[in-house]
Amino acid sequence: MAITDAKKVDYLWKKIGYGATKTDTNANKLAPNEAIASPLLLRGDKTWNQANLIPAVLPGSSTGVVTVYPTSNPNETTEDLTATAKRTWKTGLTDWIPPEFGSTYQAKVYIHTSGDAAGATGGTQVFATGSGNNDEWFFDYQSGVLHFIGANLPNGVDFTGKSVYISGGRYTGTIGLQNNVADTGDFTFSGNTIATSSSNADFEMEASGTGQYVFTSNTGVVLPTGTTAERPTAQEGVIRFNTETSEYEVSKDGSTWTNLRTDADAADVTKDIFSGDGSTQSFTMSITPSDENTIVVYVDGVMQEPDQNYTITGTTIDFGEAAHAGARIVVMHGFAD
């Protein structure tokens, strides 16, 4: 026995209106009494991730996530030869934007000479509500298929040598959860990448109150890297890795830079030892310090004050006066500049 239209409608009413599974006739179990949930399928591979960027009014030409098929150059459809003659026409394109985004997205339909999209508006425009001859059409915006759903084809239209043309807009932004892109302010999220769209702007993170920045990984943090020429300027408290010198470096004021010393660097601290003879006041060191403050000097175990007890010029250290005969002079160098 065939399924009655009433039972089909009851199924749709329960499925679409209540998200429930039909388990009995309407007479035996009303829609609010159906207890098995059956929500409509929402496919992750078909989500319109940038639907928020669709303008409220159909643009005059393609822009952003909307591709427009204007009345001056609409899409020429092809007849579905598996259906009753002239009943169904395919655009071959999916994801047309429905009028729920705005009334201007309502598809416009013309019947005109095949192969003449530019002249389509000079043909016959037919409307979704028909012409009073039960010749309504329905356009499936998701599949891009137009079907003359009424009892008749458009009144008085001869389809010989003609095509159906569709004017409207399609969503052509990113689709599917696997291509998810979310926009928040000037930041975009794509996969595991967070980026800012503001050119030359700082990437700022701000913890509230006494909150701290906590990294839960057990691996490590990779610092910004670059050459000496790529150093940022006019920014205090910067730490980075210099790919040119292979050194970690910091800048307190945004203009002068200091290398961070590692354990390997600490092994470079060495010393020169000299003996006083009562007449010699200058000695030659094995290195060239940048200034007096980057070396440590002892005379007989007593630390000497830079600029007061000694000065340096190149590799020469000068005490201003000779140390007594037998004095033990130790110069330690290799510290951070």
Side-chain angles (χ1 to χ4, degrees):
M1 180 178 179
I3 302 172
T4 64
D5 288 342
K7 289 187 176 181
K8 294 176 183 177
V9 171
D10 185 45
Y11 167 79
L12 293 174
W13 172 243
K14 292 174 177 178
K15 177 76 173 180
I16 298 175
Y18 287 84
T21 302
K22 174 180 169 63
T23 62
D24 208 333
T25 63
N26 186 62
N28 293 331
K29 189 179 290 186
L30 297 174
N33 297 324
E34 294 285 12
I36 302 174
S38 181
L40 291 171
L41 175 65
L42 296 177
R43 289 175 51 170
D45 63 330
K46 293 297 293 181
T47 57
W48 291 7
N49 299 336
Q50 296 171 295
N52 62 307
L53 300 180
I54 297 175
V57 176
L58 176 67
S61 59
S62 299
T63 180
V65 299
V66 179
T67 297
V68 176
Y69 298 82
T71 55
S72 60
N73 188 30
N75 172 271
E76 182 175 3
T77 66
T78 57
E79 184 182 358
D80 182 357
L81 299 179
T82 66
T84 301
K86 312 306 179 184
R87 277 286 178 178
T88 304
W89 300 79
K90 302 180 292 183
T91 65
L93 301 169
T94 61
D95 300 310
W96 291 77
I97 301 172
E100 68 179 272
F101 285 90
S103 60
T104 55
Y105 288 97
Q106 172 74 44
K108 293 181 175 65
V109 180
Y110 303 91
I111 301 174
H112 181 61
T113 304
S114 298
D116 184 24
T121 55
T124 302
Q125 182 175 5
V126 292
F127 299 91
T129 54
S131 58
N133 192 47
N134 295 324
D135 52 6
E136 303 88 351
W137 55 258
F138 174 79
F139 184 58
D140 189 316
Y141 287 84
Q142 185 171 9
S143 65
V145 174
L146 181 132
H147 176 65
F148 289 105
I149 198 171
N152 305 295
L153 290 173
N155 187 33
V157 176
D158 181 4
F159 279 86
T160 303
K162 296 180 180 179
S163 297
V164 172
Y165 294 86
I166 307 293
S167 174
R170 292 178 54 238
Y171 172 79
T172 49
T174 57
I175 290 179
L177 295 178
Q178 71 276 14
N179 298 314
N180 187 41
V181 177
D183 292 311
T184 304
D186 291 331
F187 291 93
T188 60
F189 300 79
S190 178
N192 62 348
T193 299
I194 304 175
T196 176
S197 58
S198 297
S199 180
N200 301 322
D202 291 338
F203 191 113
E204 298 183 26
M205 294 185 292
E206 182 177 346
S208 179
T210 58
Q212 302 181 71
Y213 300 102
V214 179
F215 298 90
T216 57
S217 171
N218 61 1
T219 54
V221 176
V222 179
L223 294 176
T225 63
T227 64
T228 300
E230 293 171 329
R231 286 170 173 169
T233 58
Q235 179 63 54
E236 299 178 349
V238 176
I239 180 171
R240 67 195 295 269
F241 182 79
N242 191 314
T243 55
E244 189 175 326
T245 63
S246 297
E247 296 281 357
Y248 293 100
E249 57 186 15
V250 296
S251 177
K252 294 187 294 183
D253 56 12
S255 60
T256 57
W257 292 84
T258 302
N259 291 339
L260 291 179
R261 297 293 176 168
T262 64
D263 288 343
D265 295 326
D268 293 336
V269 176
T270 57
K271 59 185 177 181
D272 293 323
I273 300 176
F274 309 104
S275 296
D277 59 7
S279 61
T280 303
Q281 66 181 44
S282 296
F283 300 88
T284 300
M285 298 176 291
S286 59
I287 52 91
T288 304
S290 57
D291 60 47
E292 287 83 355
N293 296 301
T294 61
I295 62 175
V296 178
V297 181
Y298 293 92
V299 176
D300 287 338
V302 178
M303 181 179 287
Q304 305 298 296
E305 184 179 354
D307 292 323
Q308 298 298 317
N309 298 122
Y310 64 89
T311 58
I312 61 172
T313 303
T315 59
T316 300
I317 181 170
D318 190 299
F319 290 95
E321 61 181 34
H324 66 84
R328 189 171 188 268
I329 303 169
V330 178
V331 180
M332 301 179 67
H333 47 76
F335 301 100
D337 292 347

